Amino acid sequence: MTNRGEARSGWELKWDFPSGQTVAQAWNAEVTSAGETVTAKHASYNKDLGADKSVSFGFVGSLTEANKAPTSFSLNGTACTVPGGEPTGEPSEDLTAMETVAAMQPGFNLGNALDAIPDETSWGNAPIDQELVQEVKNEGFNSLRLPVTWDEHQGEGPAYAIDPAYLDRVEEVVNWALEADLYVMVNTHHDSWIWQADMKTNREEILARNKALWTAISERFRDYPPELVFEGINEPQFNDATDEEKYQYLDELNKQVHDVVRSSGGGNAERLVVLPTLHTSGDQVPVEELTQTFTDLNDPNVAATIHFYGFWPFAMNLAGSPTFDQVTKDNIHETFDNVEEAFVAKGIPVIIGEYSLLGGNVEGKVERGEILKFLEYAGYYAREANLTTMLWDCVPGYDRPGLQFRDAEYWGMYQSAWTTRSGTAETDQLFVEKSTEITDKTVTLELNGLEFESLRHGDTQLTEGTDYTISGSELTIKASLLTALLGDREYGKKADLHADFSAGQPWRISLISYDTPTIANATGAADTFAIPTEWKGDTMKTMQAVYTDDGSNAGPIEWTSWKEWGEGFKPDYAANELELGSKFFNDVQDDRQVKLTLYFWSGASMTYYVTESGGTVTGATG
């Protein structure tokens, strides 16, 4: 649209869909619907619309049968003219790179299949079939990343020929994706560390092999439509090289992929080519190095890619980062802002080719509510920065044989973040001590710009004033309701409440009956030692370990006193134990006492002392 009036700071375009069409997602604008009326509002970076200046946005829509075009538009309440008469309602052709990548949002990885070594089923997945690819589309995804490892299927030099049968198999899956109306992105995956990493010692052979590989890929897919996208190298890394050398090798490989694809002609002359930063990192220096590559290429049909699995200490629950705190949030800001400022703001789109929370695939490693807060906020911030995310299904895990996500709550939060924010809270666990009188309990909500609407237990709407009160973001649950729901007050989760908001997903609050855990003295072998623990409904949050003689860090990961959940310690609730074992004591010095501080999600903490001597551990509470 073009502004024929005075300069505006902020714009809002409205129209009515006459055939009940809906907008599934949009780029370069925030699009909302109320019945047939659609409102497109400026994004943070394009709100200023000068006189006689133009701005564009796009959307992916859906329809039932009819697709009649809107007949009128208004900009900030003023009726617009439509050049050439009525709009056609037809999709545009020849999308820019920015528009293509926006249309790919959201994306899904079919990993651990064609990238598996030595073949497609080696890592436990059944062969990809057409039903699975179609289900990706049915779940609401618009693109499919197809990781492919070529190493086992490429012959010896000097020809380095690709097995035609393997190319046929890759092409078969690509065709299924295109038939499902998905964009599809094909790459070279574990080849990055299997052979491409040896550029320093084997440069000429690697360049020859890489050229032959991309020549075969380019020739096979030369005449495919632009919905097929090429990604050069997955997570590039280089052995025994300085940082300067690593950036040089990546620049050379990236440019070689680009040159081979472009010179093959046909659809490849303008096909979107996606190039990675070193290690697919969003850190400042790797991002800056890739900007120089793009400057040298001077090609409008390129995109950058990084991977994002969350702030490492939070994702692994180590170094004292068990919660989605400001440090973890700032890591999202820094990473996404780096690539938005370096690439998106300059017209180069960015694909987060692998996106999830790494530790979220281990039950209990990162607490459930903290994962949900991460999924909500990271999805929101990626959307604000106009980054396309492609889910690697650590969280939420996808059941391929069952063709569904294993965890509806995780999946719902991830999916909701495509279009809107969701309300969360400081916690999703409300611990009520069994040994004390029940009193009112307050939970601080994180409204995220939304309004609190109601609190319910299952399908039963609870009564404000009687069952709970709300004051700003403070939700107070009344003692009378807690008494009824906690019932016999036996240890463990007794009920789930759900807070509903004006948009997005509900927030679950679990009511848990507990008492402070008790721990006991013990003696045992270092490789199997565990602290006897009566959990009493509580759960383990984190653990700190220091030597008592000088306060220095003890145990694995020596740079921090805070140990990793599942490595330095692991709770076994059924066996009433806190396991330490060899993973902890392999990195503990003999005959030096270690002070352990145990932290629980109820807020309780306690101290325990262990000493290993000759393979035997003595543990005591004091």
Side-chain angles (χ1 to χ4, degrees):
M1 60 187 177
T2 302
N3 177 25
R4 298 303 187 194
E6 297 178 352
R8 304 170 187 269
S9 180
W11 52 264
E12 190 174 85
L13 185 73
K14 289 189 175 184
W15 71 90
D16 289 341
F17 271 133
S19 304
Q21 303 100 315
T22 58
V23 173
Q25 63 186 48
W27 53 95
N28 295 339
E30 297 179 10
V31 178
T32 57
S33 299
E36 296 179 347
T37 301
V38 181
T39 302
K41 185 178 179 181
H42 63 262
S44 58
Y45 55 87
N46 63 5
K47 66 181 294 185
D48 293 326
L49 185 57
D52 292 319
K53 298 297 183 181
S54 297
V55 66
S56 64
F57 66 93
F59 63 84
V60 175
S62 60
L63 53 91
T64 52
E65 295 181 1
N67 190 26
K68 187 176 180 182
T71 57
S72 62
F73 296 82
S74 65
L75 178 65
N76 291 11
T78 301
C80 301
T81 58
V82 182
E86 285 194 12
T88 65
E90 296 299 323
S92 60
E93 302 290 340
D94 300 326
L95 299 181
T96 65
M98 286 289 290
E99 291 168 338
T100 296
V101 171
M104 292 170 68
Q105 169 69 5
F108 185 85
N109 276 271
L110 269 183
N112 298 330
L114 288 171
D115 57 320
I117 304 167
D119 57 46
E120 186 175 353
T121 60
S122 296
W123 292 351
N125 283 314
I128 298 169
D129 60 24
Q130 190 166 11
E131 184 181 17
L132 173 59
V133 174
Q134 182 60 52
E135 190 59 30
V136 171
K137 179 65 176 181
N138 295 346
E139 290 285 5
F141 293 98
N142 287 314
S143 60
L144 179 71
R145 183 173 183 252
L146 188 62
V148 183
T149 300
W150 303 86
D151 177 61
E152 296 280 341
H153 310 279
Q154 187 172 18
E156 298 295 326
Y160 300 111
I162 302 298
D163 178 6
Y166 192 64
L167 259 175
D168 290 344
R169 174 58 177 152
V170 173
E171 186 175 24
E172 180 178 43
V173 179
V174 167
N175 288 338
W176 288 340
L178 296 174
E179 289 170 17
D181 196 25
L182 288 162
Y183 284 83
V184 58
M185 185 163 76
V186 173
N187 76 353
T188 60
H189 205 73
H190 294 300
D191 304 274
S192 61
W193 60 266
I194 294 173
W195 55 273
Q196 291 168 333
D198 290 326
M199 278 284 284
K200 183 163 186 174
T201 57
N202 208 12
R203 176 177 170 275
E204 294 303 321
E205 180 179 330
I206 288 168
L207 289 173
R209 186 175 178 182
N210 194 57
K211 181 177 181 180
L213 171 57
W214 275 102
T215 297
I217 296 171
S218 298
E219 288 178 352
R220 176 61 67 99
F221 295 107
R222 180 179 184 275
D223 295 320
Y224 268 65
E227 286 76 17
L228 172 63
V229 174
F230 289 153
E231 176 192 4
I233 308 168
N234 173 70
E235 297 182 351
Q237 53 200 278
F238 301 99
N239 299 325
D240 304 319
T242 66
D243 286 347
E244 183 179 359
E245 289 170 333
K246 291 174 184 177
Y247 291 120
Q248 174 191 330
Y249 299 148
L250 179 57
D251 180 68
E252 193 167 12
L253 286 169
N254 274 338
K255 288 177 178 176
Q256 183 188 54
V257 170
H258 178 271
D259 180 64
V260 171
V261 171
R262 288 288 179 259
S263 62
S264 64
N268 294 334
E270 295 184 347
R271 188 177 310 284
L272 184 68
V273 176
V274 181
L275 301 177
T277 60
L278 186 66
H279 304 296
T280 50
S281 168
D283 292 346
Q284 190 66 39
V285 175
V287 166
E288 289 175 349
E289 292 289 337
L290 185 59
T291 61
Q292 184 59 54
T293 300
F294 286 138
T295 298
D296 295 344
L297 292 175
N298 191 28
D299 184 341
N301 293 314
V302 293
T305 185
I306 64 167
H307 292 174
F308 189 74
Y309 285 106
F311 181 50
W312 180 256
F314 171 68
M316 294 290 102
N317 192 349
L318 61 84
S321 296
T323 61
F324 184 68
D325 58 11
Q326 190 60 47
V327 174
T328 300
K329 191 178 288 189
D330 286 344
N331 176 256
I332 296 173
H333 297 163
E334 180 180 357
T335 303
F336 293 2
D337 288 350
N338 279 346
V339 295
E340 193 278 332
E341 292 168 7
F343 300 125
V344 177
K346 298 174 182 177
I348 300 171
V350 174
I351 298 171
I352 305 180
E354 295 181 18
Y355 170 77
S356 191
L357 184 69
L358 192 57
N361 60 346
V362 178
E363 182 66 30
K365 190 177 186 76
V366 183
E367 196 276 324
R368 187 177 188 83
E370 306 306 314
I371 293 175
L372 290 168
K373 285 188 275 188
F374 169 85
L375 293 175
E376 193 282 328
Y377 192 83
Y380 150 73
Y381 207 76
R383 179 162 48 86
E384 285 289 292
N386 286 284
L387 311 179
T388 286
T389 57
M390 306 191 85
L391 178 67
W392 192 283
D393 58 336
C394 301
V395 180
Y398 190 74
D399 174 16
R400 294 186 185 182
L403 299 177
Q404 62 182 353
F405 283 97
R406 295 185 180 93
D407 192 302
E409 193 171 46
Y410 287 150
W411 167 233
M413 189 64 85
Y414 173 77
Q415 187 181 41
S416 183
W418 296 344
T419 56
T420 187
R421 297 217 63 178
S422 293
T424 62
E426 61 179 332
T427 183
D428 66 333
Q429 303 177 102
L430 190 57
F431 287 89
V432 181
E433 199 166 6
K434 179 181 177 181
S435 58
T436 62
E437 180 183 356
I438 296 176
T439 59
D440 294 355
K441 300 291 183 182
T442 298
V443 175
T444 301
L445 303 177
E446 297 175 6
L447 297 172
N448 296 328
L450 306 176
E451 294 181 1
F452 170 83
E453 290 195 338
S454 64
L455 186 69
R456 57 184 168 84
H457 176 227
D459 294 330
T460 302
Q461 292 292 331
L462 300 174
T463 303
E464 184 177 355
T466 302
D467 298 319
Y468 69 92
T469 61
I470 186 73
S471 177
S473 61
E474 300 297 303
L475 173 66
T476 300
I477 303 170
K478 306 295 286 183
S480 57
L481 177 63
L482 294 173
T483 300
L485 295 179
L486 288 169
D488 60 16
R489 302 189 71 181
E490 290 298 313
Y491 295 136
K493 187 174 78 168
K494 309 300 291 183
D496 285 330
L497 303 178
H498 286 88
D500 290 317
F501 302 90
S502 54
Q505 291 293 295
W507 183 256
R508 176 187 45 77
I509 303 171
S510 295
L511 306 183
I512 300 170
S513 180
Y514 90 106
D515 279 317
T516 300
T518 56
I519 52 180
N521 298 344
T523 300
D527 59 352
T528 59
F529 184 82
I531 301 172
T533 307
E534 291 186 42
W535 296 101
K536 298 183 179 180
D538 212 339
T539 49
M540 192 71 187
K541 185 177 185 180
T542 188
M543 185 183 83
Q544 196 172 17
V546 297
Y547 290 109
T548 56
D549 54 9
D550 62 4
S552 61
N553 302 334
I557 313 178
E558 61 182 13
W559 54 267
T560 177
S561 63
W562 300 89
K563 304 299 102 175
E564 179 180 350
W565 197 106
E567 297 296 322
F569 67 95
K570 185 177 181 181
D572 186 334
Y573 300 113
N576 284 315
E577 292 180 339
L578 178 62
E579 300 173 0
L580 300 180
S582 59
K583 288 186 176 181
F584 180 79
F585 288 105
N586 283 348
D587 292 296
V588 169
Q589 297 177 21
D590 259 22
D591 300 315
R592 288 187 72 185
Q593 187 183 62
V594 176
K595 175 185 175 183
L596 306 177
T597 306
L598 314 181
Y599 297 87
F600 302 88
W601 280 106
S602 68
S605 63
M606 56 187 64
T607 302
Y608 195 80
Y609 297 89
V610 292
T611 304
E612 180 188 3
S613 182
T616 298
V617 176
T618 301
T621 58

